[in-house]
Amino acid sequence: MSSERLIYLPLGGAGEIGMNAYVYGYGKPGQERLILVDLGVTFPDMDGSPGVDLILPDITWLAERKNQLEAVFITHAHEDHVGAVAHYYEALGAPIYARAFTSNIARRKMEEHGHSEKAVRTVSPWPEVTEAGPFKAGFVPISHSIPESSGLVIDTPDGRLVHTGDFKMDTDPVVGEPFDASVWEAIAKPGVKALICDSTNVFSPMEGRSESSVGPEIEKLVASAKGMFVCTTFASNVARVKTLAEAGERAGRSICLMGRAMRRMIEASIETGVLKDFPKVVSPEDAKQIPRESLMLIVTGSQGERRAASAQLAQGKYQGITLAEGDTFLFSSKTIPGNERGVIRIINQFSEMGVDVVDDTSGLYHVSGHANRPDLDAMHKLIKPQLVIPMHGEHRHLREHVKLAKNNRLYGVLAVNGMMMDLSQNTPTVAEYIETGRTYLDGSVKIGALDGVVRDRIRMALNGHVMINVILDEDDEPLGEPWCEIKGLPETGHSRAPLVDVLEEDLSQYLGRAGSKTLIDDDKLEEGLRKVARQSAMGEIGKKPEVSVIISRLSG
Amino acid sequence: MSSERLIYLPLGGAGEIGMNAYVYGYGKPGQERLILVDLGVTFPDMDGSPGVDLILPDITWLAERKNQLEAVFITHAHEDHVGAVAHYYEALGAPIYARAFTSNIARRKMEEHGHSEKAVRTVSPWPEVTEAGPFKAGFVPISHSIPESSGLVIDTPDGRLVHTGDFKMDTDPVVGEPFDASVWEAIAKPGVKALICDSTNVFSPMEGRSESSVGPEIEKLVASAKGMFVCTTFASNVARVKTLAEAGERAGRSICLMGRAMRRMIEASIETGVLKDFPKVVSPEDAKQIPRESLMLIVTGSQGERRAASAQLAQGKYQGITLAEGDTFLFSSKTIPGNERGVIRIINQFSEMGVDVVDDTSGLYHVSGHANRPDLDAMHKLIKPQLVIPMHGEHRHLREHVKLAKNNRLYGVLAVNGMMMDLSQNTPTVAEYIETGRTYLDGSVKIGALDGVVRDRIRMALNGHVMINVILDEDDEPLGEPWCEIKGLPETGHSRAPLVDVLEEDLSQYLGRAGSKTLIDDDKLEEGLRKVARQSAMGEIGKKPEVSVIISRLSG
């Protein structure tokens, strides 16, 4: 088939929460002109990606087609939407379009990586549009939990697409533009081919609550607090930071922002005019001089991150400030699944100090930034698209969102990362399966998630590591005994002799018995030594360690 | 002071959820006769204890006083109360007392470890009591989420103690004895010195719900299911397993139990007469022949454990059975904090198969086995103790429970692991701080949590591992170049040359420059090589790996 087609290809975010990256294309098969919506990251964890610094979508497919790529559009400045722009700028080379606040954040990233800030282009909101090959894309203000979030209206030769980005229907979002149903109605009027729609909260059965609803509750809490009042939220939730600061100000407290991300976000908000009338803040240096009952700290680390301000305060001290009995610590945030242990650790540390911790169990001090099930339902009805394509969610979310669409008698498309959908037909079909996955930023190097590097690390963590060193002389005869070192293994086992001695004894015996066929063959010798070491360890300590063998040949 | 005293010393469970172990003593200071209540374990995780098989309380203090130890009393058969009895039987040597069901489970553990089952003695419930030195202890039936849970009434020369064990106030627990307030009132009548009380659910604001409340909801769900119905719960929650099986039976389904723990618990329940009229079950072999709409599986793995039946079904197959589109999977359980990732993984795998997953978000299909805040309050009022000593909880739970006691005008004692409290005085005081902690069962070896073994594993997981091998000849001169191996590190970095080559080059240069003072000194040489390797790696891949150096001296 050589006629033109409209394609949709998620490279990240469809089948997971995080690392959003959605490709749209139009043209003859294989020659489509492409745009990318969002280019985010996700975060590593000890279970699956120990030691990794950041997880990026694998964009190999797109990088191989960089000359077809017209533009990258970033819907908002959350890390899971903008976090990879600088890491992949060289690989993709396309201009990056975003609204002012998002651009500000993107430019800081480009600068840190030594890329030109000019690659990031600030655009005005809808009805202004940006032409990118066969596409015309406009940023439509939508409410979320960060300033200037936008949905994208993407006009294509095959019809109009509405890509919501992350959103909620908040008509009073404290900072930034309220959700305006009439704008979306007008957008929907000419007919929408597909609604590509946020899915994270599809399992939340109640209508979403407005950001403005938490203010009065926080104010009450602050007003009743006796000692120092410390609170944390996502640094990017500028509306919340403002609400917290204003509650502090009204209670007669001086406000101090702590943590780099917190100060950076507020700075970007003020620079871009998103945030006006933020209460006066004091520096951590000055905060130390203020009586604790007159002080409010707003700090980073709502997810229990080990290096953030909250964790350091829980350890004892941060920038000269120490919490004490009678102080209050508020989590104005939810704990993202997987982060529970870190958050609970902090809460218990505060408990030991006598600090009263208020978390989100009551539901009073935090609201989600995403559309809940009834809101998604309302969005379907507002846009009335031919197709609903759920995005940004794990498989269970996408599947449930498809069901919801079907309830609304809409055609739902379940497309996960790597499924290239041909949207030109009346019934969308899978055009191709693209290899996708995760790329790890490890130190300063990008490695594939399946390269085996991290798998080896996990194995060392689970099993410990034995290193064996054997020297063979010019005649391929063992020179002395094999040496052993262990790391991450008990020093002694059942025999009460040092584990290293037991291993060396067994390896020595093996080496003594080994014939010349084995001794001249590195692979065979290594295999034999490994097997002996693992069996020997199994008998001694009841587990089979990872084994590395270094064979040194003086003949070499 | 040489007069006799009553002491309380938690060795585990006070400051954490899990690994309960509480010592009571009476006698002259240092010569107290001791009893131990519960001897549980807790479970490792990748974050803090990778590769560890089981976490046990550090009982060094008690083992050093084994001749003072009269008895071990086990309140119920949950792993965090009974899990360590066999591991520590040799170290403690004391007889183990429990009611029939708990004894049955404890004996299975003893048998597996090759200990005599006779060490476990089955006792009848209150008013029967067991004398143990100066103590008389009786097992009072109390409701929880496992058969035959008991609180302990411990009469001492200094007065009566009530140790609740884990409990809830369930007057209709489906299996086993209901909570009977009149029994506890009678126990409280002569006056209770201290209530040592479960704290896990102190933050749950609503009155606890009865186990019997989930039956009708589960029945409705099963009745409406179309394909195969699969459900999981904690295997030890025999009442729940019965409820699930009966719902299946009523819907005309054959019941199949899957997973070793599930079959073992039901077996123990039937052996001990705790469970009567359990629906007829079919074997997995027979289950394969039954049409899916007529089958119910009750499986292990409610916490997403990788090897359990649920995880294997989610992977594709377990004992010949495969789930399919239209089947239902019910989590009749809550996800314990820290296990979210594993559970979510399974849910998404089922979603990919088209299986409908029902979890506990609705609150309809699971109730907790612990007393909530209003129930704890009621227990305080029922027992009217002089002291409330919160146990089994993280610091935040214990602290909140003390606050609750104070609200009831009771004296609350916050005692964490290692705090030996003298309860003889009117106002309890800390008699001594005992060193406590965690012991890891690693393979077949017990290691201290702070021995550094697991720390080294975590470091290898985070940083990767470089092994360096240097051979020095009889004159302490390098023989050839240094050899390098890497594990858990990228093969190439910025220079695009193999990382191993870059490291070997830099190490070789260092070795060439090293003076004889360094070359004759293993420590100095090792330190120098390590530093060079770490710097070299930093430049090449942006991270500093763990380094092991093996120096082989032919002169040795």
Side-chain angles (χ1 to χ4, degrees):
Chain A
M1 198 165 58
S2 69
S3 65
E4 287 165 325
R5 65 181 186 181
L6 174 66
I7 58 169
Y8 164 73
L9 168 63
L11 296 176
E16 68 204 325
I17 294 181
M19 80 174 206
N20 293 275
Y22 307 91
V23 175
Y24 295 91
Y26 187 82
K28 292 197 171 152
Q31 300 164 42
E32 293 90 351
R33 301 306 299 170
L34 308 171
I35 59 171
L36 175 65
V37 176
D38 289 340
L39 187 49
V41 297
T42 194
F43 297 98
D45 59 56
M46 189 68 188
D47 283 317
S49 44
V52 169
D53 292 279
L54 213 51
I55 301 176
L56 317 171
D58 177 352
I59 54 146
T60 308
W61 184 90
L62 192 59
E64 284 168 356
R65 288 157 185 79
K66 64 185 284 188
N67 58 356
Q68 291 168 247
L69 182 64
E70 301 278 353
V72 178
F73 295 93
I74 306 294
T75 59
H76 63 287
H78 276 149
E79 287 298 314
D80 57 338
H81 295 259
V82 74
V85 284
H87 296 287
Y88 281 146
Y89 180 62
E90 277 172 6
L92 297 179
I96 297 155
Y97 295 92
R99 293 177 65 201
F101 177 80
T102 309
S103 284
N104 185 300
I105 299 293
R107 284 198 189 104
R108 288 165 191 251
K109 290 180 188 295
M110 295 293 274
E111 198 189 346
E112 276 171 16
H113 282 73
H115 300 318
S116 164
E117 295 181 15
K118 286 183 191 156
V120 181
R121 302 181 191 172
T122 300
V123 293
S124 300
W126 178 265
E128 187 168 305
V129 296
T130 301
E131 284 203 37
F135 299 101
K136 274 186 198 148
F139 287 87
V140 186
I142 201 162
S143 47
H144 184 42
S145 47
I146 189 168
E148 288 192 350
S149 274
S150 304
L152 283 168
V153 173
I154 306 170
D155 282 321
T156 82
D158 260 10
R160 174 166 283 189
L161 308 175
V162 172
H163 182 108
T164 64
D166 289 354
F167 79 104
K168 67 185 290 190
M169 290 180 160
D170 194 338
T171 53
D172 187 6
V174 179
V175 167
E177 302 103 336
F179 184 87
D180 186 345
S182 66
V183 170
W184 292 102
E185 251 174 67
I187 287 166
K189 205 155 193 193
V192 169
K193 180 161 187 80
L195 172 68
I196 300 90
C197 189
D198 180 4
S199 308
T200 63
N201 281 17
V202 68
F203 287 107
S204 300
M206 313 295 283
E207 214 172 87
R209 288 178 299 142
S210 167
E211 180 63 32
S212 60
S213 69
V214 299
E217 296 297 336
I218 290 172
E219 240 174 81
K220 268 189 260 173
L221 187 68
V222 178
S224 70
K226 301 267 182 297
M228 199 187 304
F229 193 94
V230 189
C231 44
T232 184
T233 188
F234 305 97
S236 55
N237 194 335
V238 173
R240 186 70 49 78
V241 176
K242 188 181 183 215
T243 298
L244 290 164
E246 286 178 348
E249 192 178 46
R250 270 179 216 141
R253 290 174 183 263
S254 297
I255 312 301
C256 176
L257 302 177
M258 285 186 143
R260 190 163 147 263
M262 192 62 76
R263 288 195 308 275
R264 180 148 90 155
M265 277 291 167
I266 297 302
E267 203 179 285
S269 306
I270 292 171
E271 274 178 27
T272 55
V274 161
L275 188 60
K276 295 163 190 107
D277 341 304
F278 192 79
K280 201 172 143 288
V281 299
V282 299
S283 71
E285 199 50 46
D286 290 342
K288 275 188 284 185
Q289 314 305 325
I290 294 171
R292 53 200 324 112
E293 65 278 8
S294 305
L295 186 60
M296 175 193 257
L297 311 180
I298 307 178
V299 306
T300 52
S302 70
Q303 300 305 305
E305 303 94 328
R306 276 179 192 272
R307 290 178 202 162
S310 65
Q312 296 201 42
L313 285 169
Q315 294 273 352
K317 204 174 218 178
Y318 185 67
Q319 299 196 327
I321 291 183
T322 305
L323 302 200
E325 174 106 38
D327 291 345
T328 303
F329 191 99
L330 168 67
F331 283 88
S332 182
S333 54
K334 76 154 195 170
T335 303
I336 293 170
N339 296 339
E340 290 80 2
R341 281 193 206 118
V343 170
I344 289 174
R345 186 189 309 119
I346 289 181
I347 295 180
N348 281 309
Q349 287 169 325
F350 283 137
S351 177
E352 287 173 28
M353 294 177 179
V355 173
D356 292 313
V357 175
V358 181
D359 67 12
D360 183 46
T361 19
S362 69
L364 295 174
Y365 310 112
H366 178 66
V367 293
S368 170
H370 292 269
N372 289 352
R373 189 183 184 88
D375 311 316
L376 294 172
D377 197 76
M379 194 66 175
H380 293 180
K381 285 168 180 152
L382 201 54
I383 304 296
K384 298 184 192 74
Q386 287 171 44
L387 308 171
V388 173
I389 309 181
M391 55 138 186
H392 204 194
E394 298 163 8
H395 195 282
R396 60 185 173 131
H397 299 108
L398 304 185
R399 180 163 177 263
E400 186 69 17
H401 198 166
V402 165
K403 284 191 195 175
L404 180 66
K406 283 186 185 158
N407 288 349
N408 288 335
R409 296 172 188 276
L410 294 170
Y411 194 96
V413 178
L414 206 170
V416 296
N417 293 341
M419 276 172 66
M420 183 197 286
M421 303 300 302
D422 180 346
L423 304 181
S424 298
Q425 340 255 318
N426 277 338
T427 312
T429 53
V430 179
E432 204 178 328
Y433 288 93
I434 304 303
E435 210 168 299
T436 56
R438 297 180 157 209
T439 297
Y440 291 156
L441 182 70
D442 190 49
S444 54
V445 177
K446 292 193 188 85
I447 54 180
L450 303 177
D451 284 0
V453 172
V454 169
R455 182 203 58 206
D456 280 351
R457 281 193 216 149
I458 292 174
R459 287 185 181 165
M460 287 190 288
L462 294 175
N463 308 323
H465 196 186
V466 170
M467 296 146 273
I468 301 167
N469 180 19
V470 171
I471 307 176
L472 297 164
D473 66 14
E474 289 81 352
D475 306 319
D476 294 313
E477 286 295 320
L479 192 61
E481 310 287 317
W483 273 266
C484 241
E485 289 252 336
I486 56 171
K487 206 174 180 76
L489 289 168
E491 284 185 12
T492 55
H494 293 294
S495 71
R496 315 254 160 168
L499 174 59
V500 165
D501 292 357
V502 175
L503 292 172
E504 284 180 351
E505 175 64 31
D506 289 350
L507 290 165
S508 191
Q509 283 191 18
Y510 168 79
L511 214 56
R513 285 194 314 268
S516 63
K517 262 196 191 163
T518 303
L519 291 174
I520 58 164
D521 184 334
D522 275 8
D523 288 346
K524 223 180 231 175
L525 185 55
E526 187 177 325
E527 187 47 38
L529 291 165
R530 172 175 291 120
K531 207 171 154 189
V532 169
R534 284 166 65 86
Q535 277 171 348
S536 179
M538 190 66 198
E540 193 59 14
I541 57 167
K543 64 193 289 171
K544 290 189 174 173
E546 297 303 297
V547 177
S548 292
V549 179
I550 309 184
I551 297 167
S552 314
R553 291 186 188 274
L554 298 185
S555 60
Chain B
M1 198 166 61
S2 68
S3 64
E4 287 164 324
R5 66 180 184 180
L6 174 65
I7 58 168
Y8 164 74
L9 168 62
L11 295 176
E16 67 203 328
I17 294 182
M19 73 174 208
N20 292 274
Y22 307 92
V23 175
Y24 295 92
Y26 186 82
K28 292 194 172 156
Q31 301 164 41
E32 294 89 353
R33 301 306 299 171
L34 307 171
I35 59 171
L36 176 64
V37 176
D38 288 339
L39 188 50
V41 297
T42 194
F43 296 98
D45 60 57
M46 189 69 187
D47 283 316
S49 44
V52 168
D53 292 280
L54 212 50
I55 301 176
L56 317 170
D58 177 352
I59 54 144
T60 308
W61 183 90
L62 192 59
E64 285 169 354
R65 287 158 186 79
K66 64 186 283 191
N67 59 355
Q68 291 168 245
L69 183 63
E70 300 278 354
V72 178
F73 296 93
I74 305 295
T75 59
H76 64 286
H78 277 149
E79 287 298 314
D80 57 339
H81 295 260
V82 74
V85 285
H87 296 288
Y88 280 146
Y89 180 62
E90 278 172 5
L92 297 179
I96 296 155
Y97 295 92
R99 293 177 64 199
F101 177 80
T102 309
S103 285
N104 185 299
I105 299 293
R107 282 199 190 104
R108 288 165 191 251
K109 290 180 187 296
M110 296 292 273
E111 199 190 345
E112 276 172 16
H113 283 72
H115 301 317
S116 163
E117 296 181 13
K118 286 182 189 155
V120 181
R121 302 181 189 171
T122 300
V123 294
S124 301
W126 179 263
E128 187 168 304
V129 295
T130 301
E131 284 203 39
F135 299 102
K136 275 185 198 149
F139 287 86
V140 185
I142 202 162
S143 48
H144 184 43
S145 45
I146 189 168
E148 289 192 348
S149 275
S150 304
L152 283 169
V153 173
I154 306 171
D155 282 321
T156 83
D158 260 10
R160 176 166 281 188
L161 308 175
V162 171
H163 182 108
T164 64
D166 289 354
F167 80 103
K168 67 186 289 191
M169 290 181 160
D170 194 339
T171 54
D172 187 7
V174 180
V175 167
E177 302 103 337
F179 184 86
D180 186 344
S182 66
V183 170
W184 292 101
E185 251 173 68
I187 286 166
K189 207 157 194 193
V192 170
K193 181 163 187 77
L195 173 69
I196 300 89
C197 189
D198 180 5
S199 309
T200 62
N201 282 17
V202 68
F203 287 107
S204 300
M206 312 297 282
E207 215 171 88
R209 288 179 298 142
S210 167
E211 180 62 32
S212 60
S213 69
V214 299
E217 297 297 337
I218 291 173
E219 239 174 81
K220 269 188 259 172
L221 189 67
V222 178
S224 70
K226 301 265 183 297
M228 200 187 306
F229 193 94
V230 189
C231 44
T232 184
T233 187
F234 304 96
S236 56
N237 194 337
V238 174
R240 186 69 51 78
V241 177
K242 187 181 182 212
T243 298
L244 291 164
E246 286 177 350
E249 192 178 46
R250 270 182 216 140
R253 288 172 185 263
S254 299
I255 312 300
C256 175
L257 302 178
M258 285 187 144
R260 191 164 147 264
M262 191 63 76
R263 288 195 308 273
R264 179 148 90 155
M265 277 291 165
I266 297 303
E267 202 179 285
S269 305
I270 292 169
E271 275 177 27
T272 55
V274 162
L275 189 61
K276 295 164 190 105
D277 340 305
F278 192 80
K280 201 170 143 293
V281 299
V282 300
S283 70
E285 200 50 46
D286 290 341
K288 275 187 285 184
Q289 314 304 327
I290 296 170
R292 50 200 326 110
E293 65 279 8
S294 305
L295 185 60
M296 174 193 258
L297 312 181
I298 308 179
V299 306
T300 52
S302 70
Q303 300 305 305
E305 302 92 327
R306 275 180 191 271
R307 291 178 201 161
S310 65
Q312 295 200 43
L313 285 170
Q315 294 274 355
K317 203 173 219 182
Y318 184 66
Q319 299 195 326
I321 292 184
T322 304
L323 302 199
E325 175 105 38
D327 292 344
T328 303
F329 191 98
L330 167 66
F331 283 88
S332 181
S333 55
K334 75 154 197 172
T335 304
I336 293 170
N339 296 340
E340 289 80 2
R341 280 192 207 119
V343 171
I344 289 174
R345 186 189 309 118
I346 289 182
I347 296 180
N348 281 310
Q349 287 169 326
F350 283 136
S351 177
E352 286 173 28
M353 295 177 178
V355 172
D356 291 312
V357 175
V358 180
D359 68 12
D360 183 45
T361 19
S362 69
L364 295 174
Y365 308 112
H366 178 66
V367 293
S368 170
H370 292 269
N372 289 352
R373 189 184 184 89
D375 312 315
L376 295 172
D377 198 75
M379 193 66 173
H380 292 180
K381 285 169 180 152
L382 200 54
I383 304 297
K384 299 185 193 71
Q386 287 170 45
L387 308 171
V388 173
I389 309 181
M391 56 141 187
H392 204 195
E394 298 163 8
H395 194 282
R396 61 187 174 130
H397 300 107
L398 305 184
R399 182 164 177 263
E400 186 71 15
H401 197 168
V402 164
K403 283 190 194 174
L404 179 66
K406 283 185 186 159
N407 288 349
N408 288 334
R409 296 171 188 275
L410 294 169
Y411 193 99
V413 178
L414 205 171
V416 296
N417 294 342
M419 277 172 66
M420 183 198 286
M421 303 301 301
D422 179 347
L423 304 181
S424 299
Q425 339 254 321
N426 278 337
T427 314
T429 54
V430 179
E432 206 178 327
Y433 289 94
I434 304 303
E435 210 168 297
T436 56
R438 297 180 156 208
T439 297
Y440 292 156
L441 182 71
D442 190 49
S444 54
V445 176
K446 293 192 188 86
I447 55 179
L450 303 177
D451 285 2
V453 171
V454 170
R455 180 202 60 206
D456 279 352
R457 280 193 217 150
I458 293 173
R459 286 185 181 163
M460 287 190 288
L462 295 175
N463 307 322
H465 195 186
V466 170
M467 295 146 275
I468 301 168
N469 180 20
V470 171
I471 307 176
L472 297 164
D473 67 14
E474 289 81 352
D475 306 319
D476 295 313
E477 286 294 322
L479 192 62
E481 309 287 318
W483 273 266
C484 244
E485 289 252 334
I486 56 171
K487 204 172 180 77
L489 289 168
E491 285 185 13
T492 55
H494 293 295
S495 71
R496 314 252 161 169
L499 174 59
V500 166
D501 293 356
V502 174
L503 291 171
E504 285 179 351
E505 175 65 30
D506 288 350
L507 290 165
S508 190
Q509 283 192 17
Y510 167 79
L511 214 56
R513 284 194 315 267
S516 62
K517 264 194 192 166
T518 302
L519 291 173
I520 58 165
D521 183 334
D522 275 9
D523 289 346
K524 221 177 233 174
L525 184 56
E526 187 177 327
E527 186 48 39
L529 291 164
R530 172 174 292 120
K531 208 170 151 188
V532 169
R534 284 167 64 87
Q535 278 172 348
S536 179
M538 189 67 199
E540 193 60 13
I541 59 168
K543 63 193 290 170
K544 290 188 173 174
E546 298 303 296
V547 177
S548 293
V549 179
I550 308 183
I551 298 167
S552 314
R553 289 185 189 273
L554 299 186
S555 60

